[in-house]
Every structure is written in structure tokens, then in C-alpha cells.
Amino acid sequence: MPAPESDAPLPLPDKSSDEPNAEYCQPRNVYVPTANKGKVHKPIGAQQANYNGTSRTARSWFKSEASGEVGVEISGELKVGVSPMIASIEGKYGVNLSAKLSVKVGNEIQVDTPPRKTTYAKYGVWRMKNTGTSYVIYSNCRTSAKSTVTSHTPWHVGWYLWER
């Protein structure tokens, strides 16, 4: 068998194999936010309402009478911790989110209720609803199956008001 010519090109290693010359990636878990779905309110305590049966505008006064904590809720398979997920969402949308927010007793609000209308009020935590993709990058640069993750992440404490 003749020896190969010295000018012959050397075969390139297969980058997707487990050979010593295979491409290497730093293994890591990844979360990429893909869509901000807006604000969703998580109430603490009872819904309040005030009906104005007069022909004039009336002042309605609502006061929170319950306390509690609201944390992150996740559906789907999150391959990273909650803190890296929150940091990714904050970075993409320029918001300040929390893993958990406390609602305290005694917050109050006064609003005008139009004639023959009912003003409703709920006190609690506004959360950002977000969808994203989570997966793992392995050392051979391949990835796990991508999972769609929906999260509700605490944004700020406040009232949700509406009229009927």
C-alpha cells in the first residue's frame, strides 16, 4: 500500500463526535425570555365593592385588611434557577422584578364612583406574565430539548380597580 502524499489534506475532525478533537462548549443551563404577556394581578384578601345609588359622584374608600406573600409561579420545565430567569427578564424588558413580595395590612385608596355605578377593588401583587425558552447546552455543544416556560413574577404591590 503506497504512503499518502505529503500534500494530501488531512481529514478534519467531526465536530459533533466525542473524539478528543471534538468541539467543546461550556456546559450551562439557559433561559431566554421570548414574550412579555403583560401584568396580572394576584389579590390578597377579599374583593371589595361600593355601589353609588345616588345621582351624584360619590367618594369610595377601600382599605386592605389582609396580608401575605406572593412569589414566582412557573409552568413548564425551567432548566435554570429562578434568580437567573428573573435577571434575564429584567434585562430584556428593563423592569425590576422580585422572587417574592409581601402585602401588608392597612393600605388604602380613595376613588370617585360615578352615579349608579359600582367600584370594585382588590389589593395584592401585580406580576409580569412572561414566556420563555429553557434548555441545557452540553459539553459536546448539543442542546437538550427546548421547553416553553410561562412565569408570573412579582412586579409591585398595588390595587386593581374597575367599575360596572
Side-chain angles (χ1 to χ4, degrees):
M1 180 170 193
E5 296 179 22
S6 59
D7 293 353
L10 294 173
L12 295 174
D14 178 4
K15 297 264 185 200
S16 64
S17 73
D18 290 329
E19 296 175 13
N21 291 338
E23 184 176 2
Y24 175 79
C25 288
Q26 181 65 41
R28 65 186 183 277
N29 296 347
V30 177
Y31 174 81
V32 179
T34 55
N36 176 350
K37 302 288 188 171
K39 289 182 180 182
V40 177
H41 193 261
K42 175 80 169 185
I44 299 290
Q47 174 179 302
Q48 301 175 48
N50 193 34
Y51 175 71
N52 177 8
T54 72
S55 60
R56 298 174 309 278
T57 297
R59 191 71 150 161
S60 293
W61 184 4
F62 301 104
K63 184 174 183 177
S64 68
E65 298 173 352
S67 65
E69 291 183 337
V70 175
V72 176
E73 290 181 19
I74 296 170
S75 63
E77 190 176 348
L78 183 64
K79 311 270 192 206
V80 300
V82 169
S83 293
M85 180 196 73
I86 291 172
S88 295
I89 296 169
E90 287 176 329
K92 179 157 185 172
Y93 301 113
V95 295
N96 290 317
L97 303 173
S98 300
K100 180 172 41 173
L101 283 177
S102 296
V103 174
K104 296 180 178 142
V105 174
N107 190 292
E108 47 190 72
I109 190 169
Q110 294 181 28
V111 296
D112 290 334
T113 301
R116 296 178 182 53
K117 293 280 188 177
T118 301
T119 300
Y120 296 88
K122 291 193 267 186
Y123 187 66
V125 175
W126 286 99
R127 300 181 300 171
M128 176 185 272
K129 182 177 180 183
N130 188 77
T131 57
T133 303
S134 190
Y135 57 95
V136 177
I137 298 176
Y138 299 109
S139 62
N140 64 0
C141 301
R142 292 186 180 172
T143 62
S144 67
K146 293 184 178 181
S147 173
T148 298
V149 176
T150 299
S151 63
H152 291 84
T153 307
W155 200 343
H156 54 85
V157 174
W159 290 93
Y160 175 47
L161 304 168
W162 71 100
E163 291 175 351
R164 285 193 201 147

